[in-house]
Amino acid sequence: MVAHVDMAEDHRTAKARQIKAATAILPGLALTAGIAGLAFGLRQLPMVGVLSPMILAIMIGIGFHNLVGTPVRAKPGVTFAMRRILRAAIVLLGLQLTAAQIAEVGATGIAVIALTLVATFLFITWFGRLIGVERGLAELIAAGTSICGASAVIATNTVTRAPDEDVAYAVACVTVFGSVAMFLYPLLPVVLGLSPHAYGLWAGASIHEIAQVVAAAYQGGPAAGEFGTIAKLSRVMLLAPMVIGLGLIAARRAVRQGEGARRARPPMPWFVLGFLAMVGLNSVVTLPAEMKSALVLATTFMLSMALAAMGLETDIAKLRAKGLRPFLLGLAGFVFIALFSLALVKMTA
């Protein structure tokens, strides 16, 4: 009887915690959804409709955070939107693609992506040593720039074990430069003579965050957007082996320093598998046009919420907290990955 009462009490306590956790994210979700809704509304204005709601959402988010300030009670929901909603939206993006389209990336496209990733990571870590940026911070900036922005920074820190300030700086850095790329890239395809596929590959191989790639690539049209998304997700798949490799390097370094091999379990980007599952479903099942249109709208809205959350986490002051050198490192990495990948794309086009 006592055991039964204890079990009932534990159940009520667990349920109360779940309700509390769910309630905690509501203010942040409301804020990001409100910004996303405002972004959709602003597109009805003259000259603003040329911008995607995702770009408008991150602009509004950055402005709100740095001029007004993101409320503390909104933080849990903002984090939820930036991680969970973003990943759910990426999974849903798979319903806009088919296996036949993915095959279009080909061995050449994968080679461009892989070479760009490795070269960028090595360049940033080398240049970081050259200008005197701490190794941990340099590795975080390198991972965020070469792989997938904030997600790569957080994943890499499971083995880098840098201070929280370095993580915050790296996230702010890659978000800002990824946002610059998101605004700049759509202006360049005609100037550089890039076809939609070449532009999509360039965007997917070099822009930092997945949502930023989607926002920039779709400015070049549906073909560029789809190809850029595929290229970027192919790049994200390389996160796990990269983190495993960094973990092995960190373990060897710890052994040499007499600290013992500290093992970190590398995270698996499961949302990529969900994306592939949706692509597989879309390749064998024909969804009704009305349902597909609704899913496209929902996916765009969710991505806009995620970008609004990124904006609400982008503190310009953080870029000044550690001085100019890490900022220059992020800038150098941004320029390197853009030019290196562009050269490879032009060579293989």
Side-chain angles (χ1 to χ4, degrees):
M1 183 68 180
V2 174
H4 179 73
V5 172
D6 289 342
M7 289 177 62
E9 182 63 29
D10 291 342
H11 178 72
R12 285 194 295 270
T13 302
K15 189 173 182 179
R17 287 175 180 171
Q18 292 174 353
I19 294 173
K20 184 177 180 180
T23 304
I25 67 173
L26 291 180
L29 289 181
L31 179 58
T32 54
I35 291 175
L38 178 59
F40 271 81
L42 287 175
R43 295 187 73 244
Q44 307 306 314
L45 297 176
M47 303 302 293
V48 182
V50 296
L51 298 175
S52 77
M54 293 177 276
I55 290 179
L56 292 171
I58 197 170
M59 289 175 62
I60 297 168
I62 291 174
F64 184 91
H65 178 70
N66 288 276
L67 296 176
V68 180
T70 304
V72 175
R73 65 194 185 105
K75 292 286 186 180
V78 169
T79 301
F80 186 90
M82 192 166 55
R83 295 179 183 174
R84 301 292 182 86
I85 289 182
L86 171 59
R87 292 172 184 177
I90 293 166
V91 171
L92 289 177
L93 271 176
L95 293 173
Q96 301 179 33
L97 305 172
T98 65
Q101 292 169 319
I102 291 178
E104 294 176 9
V105 176
T108 301
I110 296 298
V112 168
I113 293 165
L115 284 173
T116 299
L117 189 157
V118 174
T120 301
F121 192 93
L122 293 176
F123 169 79
I124 293 177
T125 51
W126 167 79
F127 192 63
R129 288 195 301 271
L130 186 67
I131 64 176
V133 176
E134 300 95 327
R135 175 182 54 79
L137 178 54
E139 287 184 355
L140 294 180
I141 293 175
T145 302
S146 64
I147 309 176
C148 56
S151 298
V153 171
I154 295 168
T156 301
N157 199 50
T158 61
V159 295
T160 301
R161 301 180 186 276
D164 290 342
E165 294 80 8
D166 286 0
V167 176
Y169 190 102
V171 168
C173 193
V174 299
T175 300
V176 166
F177 287 118
S179 299
V180 171
M182 185 176 64
F183 292 117
L184 180 63
Y185 275 41
L187 305 176
L188 301 177
V190 176
V191 176
L192 297 174
L194 297 175
S195 67
H197 277 200
Y199 172 61
L201 178 58
W202 182 42
S206 58
I207 297 180
H208 301 43
E209 292 277 357
I210 298 172
Q212 293 165 348
V213 170
V214 174
Y218 272 96
Q219 293 287 333
E226 292 171 1
F227 201 71
T229 301
I230 299 166
K232 178 60 177 178
L233 288 164
S234 300
R235 182 173 154 205
V236 171
M237 292 180 200
L238 299 176
L239 174 62
M242 175 67 79
V243 173
I244 291 172
L246 288 175
L248 293 173
I249 293 172
R252 290 181 180 178
R253 185 185 299 122
V255 169
R256 287 198 302 268
Q257 296 173 352
E259 300 174 7
R262 295 174 298 181
R263 298 182 181 272
R265 186 179 181 182
M268 176 62 188
W270 295 107
F271 60 94
V272 174
L273 300 182
F275 169 85
L276 292 176
M278 292 299 102
V279 172
L281 176 64
N282 196 37
S283 301
V284 298
V285 177
T286 302
L287 298 176
E290 297 80 4
M291 179 183 294
K292 215 161 191 178
S293 297
L295 287 170
V296 169
L297 180 61
T299 302
T300 304
F301 189 84
M302 292 167 69
L303 286 169
S304 298
M305 286 181 64
L307 277 164
M310 289 180 195
L312 292 169
E313 288 288 307
T314 303
D315 191 346
I316 303 301
K318 289 179 181 177
L319 296 178
R320 300 193 297 264
K322 286 182 170 286
L324 190 60
R325 286 178 295 180
F327 176 82
L328 292 176
L329 181 60
L331 174 60
F334 161 62
V335 173
F336 179 88
I337 195 171
L339 295 180
F340 186 88
S341 59
L342 177 61
L344 291 180
V345 168
K346 297 288 282 187
M347 288 171 57
T348 57

